[in-house]
Amino acid sequence: MPLKELIDNAHSDRVKRICAISRAKSRGDGRFLVEGPQSVREAVRYAHKSILDIYVLQDAVNSGSNRRYSSVSSGGPIEVIAKIVDESLKNNCYVHPATAEVMRKISTDCQGIVALCDSKVLDEEFSKEFNKIGKISEIDEISEIEKEVGDDAKSCNNKDILIASCWQVRDPGNAGAIIRVADVAGCNAVVFVDDCVSRFNSKLVRSSAGSLFHLPVVKMSENEWFDWAKNAKIKVIAADIYGTENKKPKSFARVLDSFRNEFNIASNNVSNAHNIASNNTSNNTSNNPSNIASNIAILFGNEARGLPQEVLNKVDEISVIPIYGKAESMNLATSAAVMLMGLAMSSHERKMGI
């Protein structure tokens, strides 16, 4: 039965093992903690297969027909947590009621609920979803897209592919914030390139505010990333101030203008290709549906060092956010928000004819 017995010993071996997970820099067994009502709720809704156990303040668990609703001392309302418990039990997650002392021992940031998850299971789901993006980008014919990936093509073949990629990003707060912004912007994925912070770092999970469970967040080496982007026909734009001798950075405003122009051309090509396909006409046409939209990945660099010349030489384009005031620069997460949301809003406004 998913609902387990009350845990009331803060010094038990089980509690000690859970506490060790949050302290460890990396775990070979792939377990990680998800803390707080918002993040646990999103894990339950979108990634419940990865959940091993849920630990929750005992007041939030049904006791017969009498559930007590009051405020958790740490600030999270019991009623909100109780609803998450109900949803967890419906998804057959193991739920362990615990005393307030035990919950404080497990995490001082949990606000009454913690989930123990398996990163290996989540990573498998990430890989499946990420591979679909590559297939949709690679396949040229609309009929072949629908045959290969089914309903996924219907939702993606008229949508710009937008990916946030991070090279050697080390700060978990920045990385989590980028995942959250990528989610808000409707990105298809987030790619951690080369030696980045762990995607399942506890601070990263908290700062992503549940967005970690909404879109694939994958890890790739530098060569793997550029090979994948090339094969998937994804244009990689580096966010960099200086550029290289041969590639000077364009103002991000100019990139947005170029994005609009490319989309208008691609939209006309797709419209023609759909008409040809629907009339059972020969598919030998220069109007290639692989250009259905402007498929872009923004590559952000390390917080302190940015992107090195050898990486910049591999990208298709370099862009810089213009600064109109006296500040020298913006931090990484803010830059990501400006660029990803700029591209996302431009895409949606064009499709709505604004």
Side-chain angles (χ1 to χ4, degrees), residues 119-130:
S119 65
K120 295 176 182 177
V121 174
L122 189 58
D123 219 9
E124 287 179 5
E125 293 302 313
F126 284 164
S127 296
K128 289 177 185 177
E129 293 302 312
F130 188 72

Side-chain angles (χ1 to χ4, degrees), residues 276-300:
I276 291 170
S278 63
N279 291 327
N280 296 318
T281 314
S282 171
N283 284 323
N284 293 325
T285 173
S286 61
N287 294 323
N288 189 336
S290 66
N291 292 325
I292 283 168
S294 299
N295 300 326
I296 292 176
I298 303 294
L299 180 63
F300 302 99

Side-chain angles (χ1 to χ4, degrees), residues 54-76:
I54 293 175
Y55 300 91
V56 61
L57 197 64
Q58 61 181 329
D59 286 357
V61 177
N62 254 330
S63 177
S65 59
N66 299 315
R67 173 181 283 153
R68 292 181 289 163
Y69 294 133
S70 60
S71 293
V72 181
S73 58
S74 58

Side-chain angles (χ1 to χ4, degrees), residues 186-205:
C187 288
N188 301 79
V190 177
V191 181
F192 281 17
V193 182
D194 210 6
D195 186 20
C196 292
V197 64
S198 168
R199 292 162 295 159
F200 310 108
N201 174 283
S202 58
K203 184 176 179 181
L204 182 152
V205 176

Side-chain angles (χ1 to χ4, degrees), residues 131-192:
N131 288 337
K132 291 177 185 177
I133 300 169
K135 287 181 180 179
I136 291 166
S137 297
E138 290 170 14
I139 300 172
D140 288 341
E141 304 296 345
I142 292 173
S143 59
E144 288 299 314
I145 291 176
E146 292 174 349
K147 181 168 41 175
E148 181 76 17
V149 293
D151 291 339
D152 293 295
K154 297 176 184 178
S155 62
C156 294
N157 64 8
N158 285 320
K159 180 181 179 182
D160 301 326
I161 291 176
L162 179 59
I163 294 174
S165 53
C166 307
W167 181 85
Q168 291 196 5
V169 172
R170 304 287 173 78
D171 182 80
N174 273 333
I178 290 172
I179 293 171
R180 189 175 184 180
V181 166
D183 185 16
V184 172
C187 288
N188 301 79
V190 177
V191 181
F192 281 17

Side-chain angles (χ1 to χ4, degrees), residues 17-247:
R17 287 195 298 270
I18 299 168
C19 293
I21 293 171
S22 61
R23 291 195 299 267
K25 292 184 178 180
S26 63
R27 293 193 63 82
D29 60 10
R31 292 180 296 165
F32 69 100
L33 291 184
V34 180
E35 302 161 287
Q38 182 175 352
S39 294
V40 174
R41 181 190 65 214
E42 299 311 294
V44 170
R45 289 181 179 175
Y46 296 96
H48 68 268
K49 291 180 181 179
S50 70
I51 297 175
L52 300 171
D53 295 283
I54 293 175
Y55 300 91
V56 61
L57 197 64
Q58 61 181 329
D59 286 357
V61 177
N62 254 330
S63 177
S65 59
N66 299 315
R67 173 181 283 153
R68 292 181 289 163
Y69 294 133
S70 60
S71 293
V72 181
S73 58
S74 58
I78 286 290
E79 185 173 0
V80 171
I81 300 173
K83 290 177 181 178
I84 298 170
V85 169
D86 288 344
E87 197 167 346
S88 302
L89 294 173
K90 288 177 183 177
N91 285 327
N92 292 316
C93 299
Y94 291 110
V95 177
H96 303 263
T99 62
E101 182 186 6
V102 169
M103 294 304 297
R104 283 193 298 269
K105 184 76 172 178
I106 291 174
S107 169
T108 57
D109 298 310
C110 70
Q111 297 178 293
I113 189 167
V114 169
L116 178 61
C117 295
D118 187 340
S119 65
K120 295 176 182 177
V121 174
L122 189 58
D123 219 9
E124 287 179 5
E125 293 302 313
F126 284 164
S127 296
K128 289 177 185 177
E129 293 302 312
F130 188 72
N131 288 337
K132 291 177 185 177
I133 300 169
K135 287 181 180 179
I136 291 166
S137 297
E138 290 170 14
I139 300 172
D140 288 341
E141 304 296 345
I142 292 173
S143 59
E144 288 299 314
I145 291 176
E146 292 174 349
K147 181 168 41 175
E148 181 76 17
V149 293
D151 291 339
D152 293 295
K154 297 176 184 178
S155 62
C156 294
N157 64 8
N158 285 320
K159 180 181 179 182
D160 301 326
I161 291 176
L162 179 59
I163 294 174
S165 53
C166 307
W167 181 85
Q168 291 196 5
V169 172
R170 304 287 173 78
D171 182 80
N174 273 333
I178 290 172
I179 293 171
R180 189 175 184 180
V181 166
D183 185 16
V184 172
C187 288
N188 301 79
V190 177
V191 181
F192 281 17
V193 182
D194 210 6
D195 186 20
C196 292
V197 64
S198 168
R199 292 162 295 159
F200 310 108
N201 174 283
S202 58
K203 184 176 179 181
L204 182 152
V205 176
R206 286 197 300 273
S207 58
S208 77
S211 290
L212 177 67
F213 307 106
H214 294 168
L215 73 170
V217 182
V218 300
K219 180 181 179 180
M220 305 177 84
S221 71
E222 185 180 312
N223 289 335
E224 285 173 337
W225 162 238
F226 283 106
D227 288 344
W228 183 90
K230 182 179 179 180
N231 292 333
K233 301 179 178 69
I234 306 287
K235 178 189 286 187
V236 180
I237 300 177
D240 186 76
I241 297 175
Y242 304 108
T244 68
E245 185 176 343
N246 298 321
K247 288 181 184 175

